[in-house]
Amino acid sequence: MDNKEITLNNVMRHSMHDFLNSLHLIQMNLDMGRIEEAKNLIRAYSSKCSQFFDINNIGLYKTNEWLQTFSMRYNKMTLVVQTSLLTSGAEKYDAALREFLDWFLQSIYPNLRGYEEQLFKVHIKTDEQLEIQIDVQGNWSSFSWMEEMSSEALFHVEKQVKTETELKFILIASERLE
């Protein structure tokens, strides 16, 4: 983990690099006559862009910025984001959610092994309440639940799974969305 400030130039360089890699991958599939694979890549990249706009539209701007710069800070992990967003009005939870996610990653990141695949899955749901399901896959044999996880005032933490290979919990907003 690198605690250096991430500048706009860093973000733009990173985004342009990812964009070019994506275009090259699509072009490679087209050159090889793999039209369906190219279409699937375009759909996946389009879905990722839609998720970005959806997360902004519900008011989670700081959280979205954190998610978009995740790989720049936590390069030992792969981020997977899912959204099921039916209601807006989550602005009240934005800063606290971003701080919680960053705190959680900083607490587990030193235990990661670079040679093992580690996935950090975040599923953001809004209906009447904001729920964020966190699923972390990797080697968690030495990890124990931290009691601080339940102390966040704006969220209730519901612990679901703790095995040697998976940690899973849900953050549930303390109030209904307006």
Side-chain angles (χ1 to χ4, degrees), residues 12 22 26 28 31 35 37 39 55 65 79-80 86 104 108 128-129 156:
M12 295 303 295
S22 300
I26 292 168
M28 179 187 71
D31 290 345
I35 305 301
E37 287 84 351
K39 287 180 180 180
I55 293 169
E65 181 181 296
L79 175 67
V80 177
L86 303 174
F104 178 70
I108 66 170
E128 293 180 4
Q129 264 186 313
H156 164 71

Side-chain angles (χ1 to χ4, degrees), residues 4-168:
K4 288 190 301 187
E5 179 183 344
I6 295 178
T7 65
L8 182 57
N9 186 45
N10 295 136
V11 172
M12 295 303 295
R13 283 183 50 227
H14 188 78
S15 295
M16 290 295 112
H17 182 264
D18 283 352
F19 180 70
L20 284 175
N21 282 347
S22 300
L23 287 177
H24 288 147
L25 193 55
I26 292 168
Q27 182 66 53
M28 179 187 71
N29 277 291
L30 291 173
D31 290 345
M32 293 172 40
R34 299 166 66 182
I35 305 301
E36 282 308 308
E37 287 84 351
K39 287 180 180 180
N40 288 338
L41 287 168
I42 292 169
R43 276 191 284 277
Y45 300 143
S46 296
S47 176
K48 187 175 178 181
C49 287
S50 293
Q51 284 178 336
F52 171 82
F53 293 116
D54 289 346
I55 293 169
N56 266 354
N57 288 340
I58 65 166
L60 297 177
Y61 310 111
K62 293 177 185 199
T63 301
N64 205 7
E65 181 181 296
W66 186 87
L67 292 169
Q68 297 304 314
T69 58
F70 179 91
S71 63
M72 297 173 74
R73 288 187 175 92
Y74 303 104
N75 58 6
K76 292 181 186 175
M77 296 190 88
T78 301
L79 175 67
V80 177
V81 177
Q82 295 176 302
T83 55
S84 304
L85 307 174
L86 303 174
T87 311
S88 60
E91 296 89 352
K92 172 182 179 178
Y93 300 98
D94 188 26
L97 177 57
R98 187 219 175 274
E99 287 174 24
F100 181 89
L101 292 171
D102 201 44
W103 168 83
F104 178 70
L105 259 293
Q106 287 183 32
S107 67
I108 66 170
Y109 203 73
N111 300 325
L112 300 182
R113 296 184 177 113
Y115 55 86
E116 292 179 8
E117 181 178 36
Q118 273 106 178
L119 295 176
F120 184 71
K121 297 179 183 179
V122 177
H123 188 165
I124 302 170
K125 301 177 190 180
T126 61
D127 190 1
E128 293 180 4
Q129 264 186 313
L130 173 64
E131 291 185 9
I132 300 88
Q133 183 170 12
I134 308 291
D135 188 351
V136 188
Q137 297 175 5
N139 181 348
W140 305 110
S141 55
S142 63
F143 180 82
S144 61
W145 285 110
M146 295 165 278
E147 292 309 312
E148 302 90 49
M149 288 179 69
S150 60
S151 67
E152 178 57 54
L154 290 177
F155 292 99
H156 164 71
V157 179
E158 185 178 297
K159 300 171 186 177
Q160 294 188 316
V161 175
K162 196 284 184 196
T163 65
E164 288 192 5
T165 60
E166 182 178 27
L167 299 174
K168 193 174 193 178

